[in-house]
Structures are given as C-alpha cells and as structure tokens.
Amino acid sequence: LRLPVLRREAARDLLLWGRICYPEVVRSEYSALHADIAGWFDALLPPGERAGRTSPRRVVCGPRGGAKTTLLRLGAAHRMAHGLEDYVAFVGPEAAHCDAEMGAWRAMMDSADRPLLRRLHGAREWSGNLSDVRVRGGGREVHVSARPFSGTIRGLNRDGRRPTLVVLDDVEKPEHLDSPTTRQRMRARLSDDIGNLGPPEGGLACIYGATDLGEGSLPSHAATELGWDRSTVPAVLAWPEGLAEGVDAPGSRWEACRRLYLDRTDPQRRQTARRFF
C-alpha cells in the first residue's frame, strides 16, 4: 500500500526521490543550487503537454564544485525512471566528459544494489554504446545520447524520435572567451544546433548548468539574446563581519588570524592560527 504512494510522491519531488534512492548523493540539507535545479525539473511538464508551447529553457549558474553535474544527472535520471521523457540528450564540453557521464548515468540507474529503486521502477535493461543507449524497463523505452558540444549534435533521431530534454553541462571553458571566432561558433551552436534538436511539434526542454565566466560568456548570451531563463547562485551567500568581499578589514580578527598564519618565524604558525580562530 505504501509503494504506490511513495512512487507518486517521488515522481513530483526530485530531491525526495534522490534522498530515498541515492542517500549518498542527496541529503536533506539541500543547497540553494540544488534546490534551484530540482525546482526547474519538478515544474517541467511532460513532453506531450509542452508541445505547441514555448519551450522551457534554463541556465543555472553556480560555482565549480557545487555538484551541478550531479543534480543535472539526477534530474535526467528521475525523468527517465518515471517515464516523463522519451529521449534525453546530454551535451558536455568534450568526448571524454560525455563518456564518463554516460557511465555515471548507467551506474545510477543500475538497480542491482538499490533494492528500493528496483521496487519503485523495476529492473532496467541497457543496450548500446557510450554515445547512444536504449533503456528498457517498466513497460517503456527511453533513448539517451551523449555528444560533445564541439561534435556533431544536429539531427539526433532514434526510431523516429527526437530529443525532448537536453542537458548541457559546463560546455564553455575560460579559454573559449579569448577568441571571438570561437565565441561566435559556440553561440550559433547553442541557438541553431541545440535549439532545433527537439520534435517538430515543439516542446523541447533544455537546462544548462554553467559557471559564469563574465560578460560575453555563453550563459549571458543564452539569457540576453536567446531569451533563456537564468538563475545565478553565488558561491558565497554572505561574508562575515570583518571580511567584506573576502578581503580582511584592517584591525579585524580575520586580519590578526591571517598575520599569525603567515608568521614564518613561528614553526607552529598553522596551529597557532587555528587556536586563535
């Protein structure tokens, strides 16, 4: 009796599903970045209900090391497990990243060592390679493709299906900003290749987990020129007193602690600074 209730609640709450099935990944103390990404996935309508409407497209900017990739992966896996997407495309910065991500997705969806995942969704059968995978289970079939942003993306089609969800993960690197030609090529790829990947009737959903590299970066272009929704979660929500913008204020205890930490005449300077702190 509890299983159908649990399945229903988990289908509409990504972080609840993650906490139940992947407790080593998702904990109850959600970060602002995780809540932002999960909220977008939870509000996403099924592909059939999105058709004919404006396609939901979102850029989520957050610091490196904030586990954006983990939450994007979890969100796509959640949509697949609950039969909410027919075809998911993952786009990473390079081929090696895509291969690793596909392996991580397969490991995440393997229910052999996750009895509750198996009870909720049944067994899953995978076939294909690191670029294109077919997942069968629960009376449904889902396709997953992984492509590097610089590779061939246009024209993805599996058994007459086109992607309904595209997940982009940090496809822009700092060195890309150095070349106007590279920036223009990446912008065209995002608007044309990615933007036209979906079904002809419309409804393609895209989420782009990014690190904001400043003015002229791809996330800024997606928001200002292409009309994508954008949210930015800063690495530091608030600086403590005496450490405005990460800089020690003169006369503050932070400055005194730093002075102790950098005192080369004290062989135990780190322990001294720690005791002071």
Side-chain angles (χ1 to χ4, degrees), residues 102-116:
M102 189 68 87
W105 267 1
R106 294 185 69 154
M108 176 174 280
M109 295 300 292
D110 186 356
S111 60
D113 296 324
R114 300 184 186 276
L116 188 51

mmCIF file with all atom_site columns, all heavy atoms in Angstrom, residues 102-116:
data_model
loop_
_atom_site.group_PDB
_atom_site.id
_atom_site.type_symbol
_atom_site.label_atom_id
_atom_site.label_alt_id
_atom_site.label_comp_id
_atom_site.label_asym_id
_atom_site.label_entity_id
_atom_site.label_seq_id
_atom_site.pdbx_PDB_ins_code
_atom_site.Cartn_x
_atom_site.Cartn_y
_atom_site.Cartn_z
_atom_site.occupancy
_atom_site.B_iso_or_equiv
_atom_site.pdbx_formal_charge
_atom_site.auth_seq_id
_atom_site.auth_comp_id
_atom_site.auth_asym_id
_atom_site.auth_atom_id
_atom_site.pdbx_PDB_model_num
ATOM 1   N N   . MET A 1 102 ? 28.034 9.273  -19.331 1.00 0.00 ? 102 MET A N   1
ATOM 2   C CA  . MET A 1 102 ? 27.166 8.158  -19.698 1.00 0.00 ? 102 MET A CA  1
ATOM 3   C C   . MET A 1 102 ? 27.401 6.979  -18.764 1.00 0.00 ? 102 MET A C   1
ATOM 4   O O   . MET A 1 102 ? 26.443 6.297  -18.342 1.00 0.00 ? 102 MET A O   1
ATOM 5   C CB  . MET A 1 102 ? 27.414 7.750  -21.147 1.00 0.00 ? 102 MET A CB  1
ATOM 6   C CG  . MET A 1 102 ? 26.413 6.740  -21.668 1.00 0.00 ? 102 MET A CG  1
ATOM 7   S SD  . MET A 1 102 ? 24.737 7.403  -21.849 1.00 0.00 ? 102 MET A SD  1
ATOM 8   C CE  . MET A 1 102 ? 24.821 8.084  -23.500 1.00 0.00 ? 102 MET A CE  1
ATOM 9   N N   . GLY A 1 103 ? 28.661 6.720  -18.426 1.00 0.00 ? 103 GLY A N   1
ATOM 10  C CA  . GLY A 1 103 ? 28.949 5.658  -17.464 1.00 0.00 ? 103 GLY A CA  1
ATOM 11  C C   . GLY A 1 103 ? 28.340 5.946  -16.110 1.00 0.00 ? 103 GLY A C   1
ATOM 12  O O   . GLY A 1 103 ? 27.823 5.035  -15.438 1.00 0.00 ? 103 GLY A O   1
ATOM 13  N N   . ALA A 1 104 ? 28.370 7.199  -15.681 1.00 0.00 ? 104 ALA A N   1
ATOM 14  C CA  . ALA A 1 104 ? 27.787 7.567  -14.395 1.00 0.00 ? 104 ALA A CA  1
ATOM 15  C C   . ALA A 1 104 ? 26.266 7.398  -14.411 1.00 0.00 ? 104 ALA A C   1
ATOM 16  O O   . ALA A 1 104 ? 25.664 6.947  -13.426 1.00 0.00 ? 104 ALA A O   1
ATOM 17  C CB  . ALA A 1 104 ? 28.156 9.007  -14.051 1.00 0.00 ? 104 ALA A CB  1
ATOM 18  N N   . TRP A 1 105 ? 25.634 7.748  -15.518 1.00 0.00 ? 105 TRP A N   1
ATOM 19  C CA  . TRP A 1 105 ? 24.189 7.558  -15.631 1.00 0.00 ? 105 TRP A CA  1
ATOM 20  C C   . TRP A 1 105 ? 23.813 6.085  -15.573 1.00 0.00 ? 105 TRP A C   1
ATOM 21  O O   . TRP A 1 105 ? 22.857 5.708  -14.898 1.00 0.00 ? 105 TRP A O   1
ATOM 22  C CB  . TRP A 1 105 ? 23.698 8.162  -16.954 1.00 0.00 ? 105 TRP A CB  1
ATOM 23  C CG  . TRP A 1 105 ? 23.240 9.579  -16.820 1.00 0.00 ? 105 TRP A CG  1
ATOM 24  C CD1 . TRP A 1 105 ? 23.246 10.329 -15.692 1.00 0.00 ? 105 TRP A CD1 1
ATOM 25  C CD2 . TRP A 1 105 ? 22.711 10.404 -17.853 1.00 0.00 ? 105 TRP A CD2 1
ATOM 26  N NE1 . TRP A 1 105 ? 22.770 11.580 -15.958 1.00 0.00 ? 105 TRP A NE1 1
ATOM 27  C CE2 . TRP A 1 105 ? 22.430 11.662 -17.268 1.00 0.00 ? 105 TRP A CE2 1
ATOM 28  C CE3 . TRP A 1 105 ? 22.469 10.214 -19.200 1.00 0.00 ? 105 TRP A CE3 1
ATOM 29  C CZ2 . TRP A 1 105 ? 21.901 12.722 -18.000 1.00 0.00 ? 105 TRP A CZ2 1
ATOM 30  C CZ3 . TRP A 1 105 ? 21.949 11.275 -19.930 1.00 0.00 ? 105 TRP A CZ3 1
ATOM 31  C CH2 . TRP A 1 105 ? 21.651 12.504 -19.339 1.00 0.00 ? 105 TRP A CH2 1
ATOM 32  N N   . ARG A 1 106 ? 24.561 5.264  -16.253 1.00 0.00 ? 106 ARG A N   1
ATOM 33  C CA  . ARG A 1 106 ? 24.268 3.833  -16.238 1.00 0.00 ? 106 ARG A CA  1
ATOM 34  C C   . ARG A 1 106 ? 24.425 3.266  -14.840 1.00 0.00 ? 106 ARG A C   1
ATOM 35  O O   . ARG A 1 106 ? 23.615 2.452  -14.385 1.00 0.00 ? 106 ARG A O   1
ATOM 36  C CB  . ARG A 1 106 ? 25.178 3.103  -17.229 1.00 0.00 ? 106 ARG A CB  1
ATOM 37  C CG  . ARG A 1 106 ? 24.913 3.469  -18.674 1.00 0.00 ? 106 ARG A CG  1
ATOM 38  C CD  . ARG A 1 106 ? 25.740 2.664  -19.643 1.00 0.00 ? 106 ARG A CD  1
ATOM 39  N NE  . ARG A 1 106 ? 25.333 1.273  -19.680 1.00 0.00 ? 106 ARG A NE  1
ATOM 40  C CZ  . ARG A 1 106 ? 25.512 0.466  -20.721 1.00 0.00 ? 106 ARG A CZ  1
ATOM 41  N NH1 . ARG A 1 106 ? 26.090 0.922  -21.802 1.00 0.00 ? 106 ARG A NH1 1
ATOM 42  N NH2 . ARG A 1 106 ? 25.126 -0.780 -20.687 1.00 0.00 ? 106 ARG A NH2 1
ATOM 43  N N   . ALA A 1 107 ? 25.467 3.710  -14.135 1.00 0.00 ? 107 ALA A N   1
ATOM 44  C CA  . ALA A 1 107 ? 25.662 3.246  -12.762 1.00 0.00 ? 107 ALA A CA  1
ATOM 45  C C   . ALA A 1 107 ? 24.531 3.720  -11.854 1.00 0.00 ? 107 ALA A C   1
ATOM 46  O O   . ALA A 1 107 ? 24.075 2.990  -10.971 1.00 0.00 ? 107 ALA A O   1
ATOM 47  C CB  . ALA A 1 107 ? 27.014 3.740  -12.236 1.00 0.00 ? 107 ALA A CB  1
ATOM 48  N N   . MET A 1 108 ? 24.074 4.936  -12.082 1.00 0.00 ? 108 MET A N   1
ATOM 49  C CA  . MET A 1 108 ? 22.998 5.475  -11.255 1.00 0.00 ? 108 MET A CA  1
ATOM 50  C C   . MET A 1 108 ? 21.693 4.713  -11.457 1.00 0.00 ? 108 MET A C   1
ATOM 51  O O   . MET A 1 108 ? 20.936 4.474  -10.505 1.00 0.00 ? 108 MET A O   1
ATOM 52  C CB  . MET A 1 108 ? 22.800 6.960  -11.585 1.00 0.00 ? 108 MET A CB  1
ATOM 53  C CG  . MET A 1 108 ? 21.647 7.605  -10.853 1.00 0.00 ? 108 MET A CG  1
ATOM 54  S SD  . MET A 1 108 ? 21.543 9.389  -11.129 1.00 0.00 ? 108 MET A SD  1
ATOM 55  C CE  . MET A 1 108 ? 22.793 9.943  -9.972  1.00 0.00 ? 108 MET A CE  1
ATOM 56  N N   . MET A 1 109 ? 21.415 4.305  -12.682 1.00 0.00 ? 109 MET A N   1
ATOM 57  C CA  . MET A 1 109 ? 20.160 3.620  -12.980 1.00 0.00 ? 109 MET A CA  1
ATOM 58  C C   . MET A 1 109 ? 20.228 2.119  -12.771 1.00 0.00 ? 109 MET A C   1
ATOM 59  O O   . MET A 1 109 ? 19.225 1.419  -12.927 1.00 0.00 ? 109 MET A O   1
ATOM 60  C CB  . MET A 1 109 ? 19.750 3.913  -14.415 1.00 0.00 ? 109 MET A CB  1
ATOM 61  C CG  . MET A 1 109 ? 19.423 5.379  -14.693 1.00 0.00 ? 109 MET A CG  1
ATOM 62  S SD  . MET A 1 109 ? 18.062 5.997  -13.682 1.00 0.00 ? 109 MET A SD  1
ATOM 63  C CE  . MET A 1 109 ? 16.691 5.068  -14.375 1.00 0.00 ? 109 MET A CE  1
ATOM 64  N N   . ASP A 1 110 ? 21.405 1.590  -12.418 1.00 0.00 ? 110 ASP A N   1
ATOM 65  C CA  . ASP A 1 110 ? 21.544 0.162  -12.147 1.00 0.00 ? 110 ASP A CA  1
ATOM 66  C C   . ASP A 1 110 ? 20.910 -0.144 -10.792 1.00 0.00 ? 110 ASP A C   1
ATOM 67  O O   . ASP A 1 110 ? 21.370 0.337  -9.757  1.00 0.00 ? 110 ASP A O   1
ATOM 68  C CB  . ASP A 1 110 ? 23.029 -0.224 -12.146 1.00 0.00 ? 110 ASP A CB  1
ATOM 69  C CG  . ASP A 1 110 ? 23.228 -1.731 -12.004 1.00 0.00 ? 110 ASP A CG  1
ATOM 70  O OD1 . ASP A 1 110 ? 22.225 -2.452 -11.827 1.00 0.00 ? 110 ASP A OD1 1
ATOM 71  O OD2 . ASP A 1 110 ? 24.384 -2.180 -12.047 1.00 0.00 ? 110 ASP A OD2 1
ATOM 72  N N   . SER A 1 111 ? 19.850 -0.927 -10.789 1.00 0.00 ? 111 SER A N   1
ATOM 73  C CA  . SER A 1 111 ? 19.111 -1.199 -9.560  1.00 0.00 ? 111 SER A CA  1
ATOM 74  C C   . SER A 1 111 ? 19.597 -2.443 -8.830  1.00 0.00 ? 111 SER A C   1
ATOM 75  O O   . SER A 1 111 ? 18.996 -2.831 -7.821  1.00 0.00 ? 111 SER A O   1
ATOM 76  C CB  . SER A 1 111 ? 17.615 -1.352 -9.877  1.00 0.00 ? 111 SER A CB  1
ATOM 77  O OG  . SER A 1 111 ? 17.415 -2.430 -10.782 1.00 0.00 ? 111 SER A OG  1
ATOM 78  N N   . ALA A 1 112 ? 20.681 -3.065 -9.301  1.00 0.00 ? 112 ALA A N   1
ATOM 79  C CA  . ALA A 1 112 ? 21.149 -4.302 -8.682  1.00 0.00 ? 112 ALA A CA  1
ATOM 80  C C   . ALA A 1 112 ? 21.468 -4.114 -7.204  1.00 0.00 ? 112 ALA A C   1
ATOM 81  O O   . ALA A 1 112 ? 21.143 -4.973 -6.369  1.00 0.00 ? 112 ALA A O   1
ATOM 82  C CB  . ALA A 1 112 ? 22.385 -4.820 -9.423  1.00 0.00 ? 112 ALA A CB  1
ATOM 83  N N   . ASP A 1 113 ? 22.102 -2.994 -6.862  1.00 0.00 ? 113 ASP A N   1
ATOM 84  C CA  . ASP A 1 113 ? 22.472 -2.730 -5.466  1.00 0.00 ? 113 ASP A CA  1
ATOM 85  C C   . ASP A 1 113 ? 21.563 -1.700 -4.815  1.00 0.00 ? 113 ASP A C   1
ATOM 86  O O   . ASP A 1 113 ? 21.888 -1.182 -3.743  1.00 0.00 ? 113 ASP A O   1
ATOM 87  C CB  . ASP A 1 113 ? 23.930 -2.244 -5.396  1.00 0.00 ? 113 ASP A CB  1
ATOM 88  C CG  . ASP A 1 113 ? 24.915 -3.300 -5.863  1.00 0.00 ? 113 ASP A CG  1
ATOM 89  O OD1 . ASP A 1 113 ? 24.664 -4.489 -5.594  1.00 0.00 ? 113 ASP A OD1 1
ATOM 90  O OD2 . ASP A 1 113 ? 25.914 -2.919 -6.503  1.00 0.00 ? 113 ASP A OD2 1
ATOM 91  N N   . ARG A 1 114 ? 20.438 -1.405 -5.448  1.00 0.00 ? 114 ARG A N   1
ATOM 92  C CA  . ARG A 1 114 ? 19.498 -0.428 -4.893  1.00 0.00 ? 114 ARG A CA  1
ATOM 93  C C   . ARG A 1 114 ? 18.103 -1.059 -4.867  1.00 0.00 ? 114 ARG A C   1
ATOM 94  O O   . ARG A 1 114 ? 17.298 -0.857 -5.780  1.00 0.00 ? 114 ARG A O   1
ATOM 95  C CB  . ARG A 1 114 ? 19.503 0.852  -5.728  1.00 0.00 ? 114 ARG A CB  1
ATOM 96  C CG  . ARG A 1 114 ? 20.870 1.545  -5.779  1.00 0.00 ? 114 ARG A CG  1
ATOM 97  C CD  . ARG A 1 114 ? 20.809 2.857  -6.530  1.00 0.00 ? 114 ARG A CD  1
ATOM 98  N NE  . ARG A 1 114 ? 22.130 3.433  -6.693  1.00 0.00 ? 114 ARG A NE  1
ATOM 99  C CZ  . ARG A 1 114 ? 22.737 4.175  -5.782  1.00 0.00 ? 114 ARG A CZ  1
ATOM 100 N NH1 . ARG A 1 114 ? 22.125 4.424  -4.645  1.00 0.00 ? 114 ARG A NH1 1
ATOM 101 N NH2 . ARG A 1 114 ? 23.946 4.668  -6.000  1.00 0.00 ? 114 ARG A NH2 1
ATOM 102 N N   . PRO A 1 115 ? 17.799 -1.813 -3.829  1.00 0.00 ? 115 PRO A N   1
ATOM 103 C CA  . PRO A 1 115 ? 16.522 -2.553 -3.794  1.00 0.00 ? 115 PRO A CA  1
ATOM 104 C C   . PRO A 1 115 ? 15.300 -1.648 -3.864  1.00 0.00 ? 115 PRO A C   1
ATOM 105 O O   . PRO A 1 115 ? 14.298 -2.006 -4.492  1.00 0.00 ? 115 PRO A O   1
ATOM 106 C CB  . PRO A 1 115 ? 16.594 -3.320 -2.467  1.00 0.00 ? 115 PRO A CB  1
ATOM 107 C CG  . PRO A 1 115 ? 17.655 -2.647 -1.657  1.00 0.00 ? 115 PRO A CG  1
ATOM 108 C CD  . PRO A 1 115 ? 18.627 -2.093 -2.638  1.00 0.00 ? 115 PRO A CD  1
ATOM 109 N N   . LEU A 1 116 ? 15.357 -0.469 -3.238  1.00 0.00 ? 116 LEU A N   1
ATOM 110 C CA  . LEU A 1 116 ? 14.194 0.404  -3.285  1.00 0.00 ? 116 LEU A CA  1
ATOM 111 C C   . LEU A 1 116 ? 13.983 0.976  -4.681  1.00 0.00 ? 116 LEU A C   1
ATOM 112 O O   . LEU A 1 116 ? 12.846 1.116  -5.147  1.00 0.00 ? 116 LEU A O   1
ATOM 113 C CB  . LEU A 1 116 ? 14.337 1.533  -2.268  1.00 0.00 ? 116 LEU A CB  1
ATOM 114 C CG  . LEU A 1 116 ? 13.092 2.408  -2.071  1.00 0.00 ? 116 LEU A CG  1
ATOM 115 C CD1 . LEU A 1 116 ? 11.861 1.560  -1.795  1.00 0.00 ? 116 LEU A CD1 1
ATOM 116 C CD2 . LEU A 1 116 ? 13.319 3.411  -0.950  1.00 0.00 ? 116 LEU A CD2 1
#
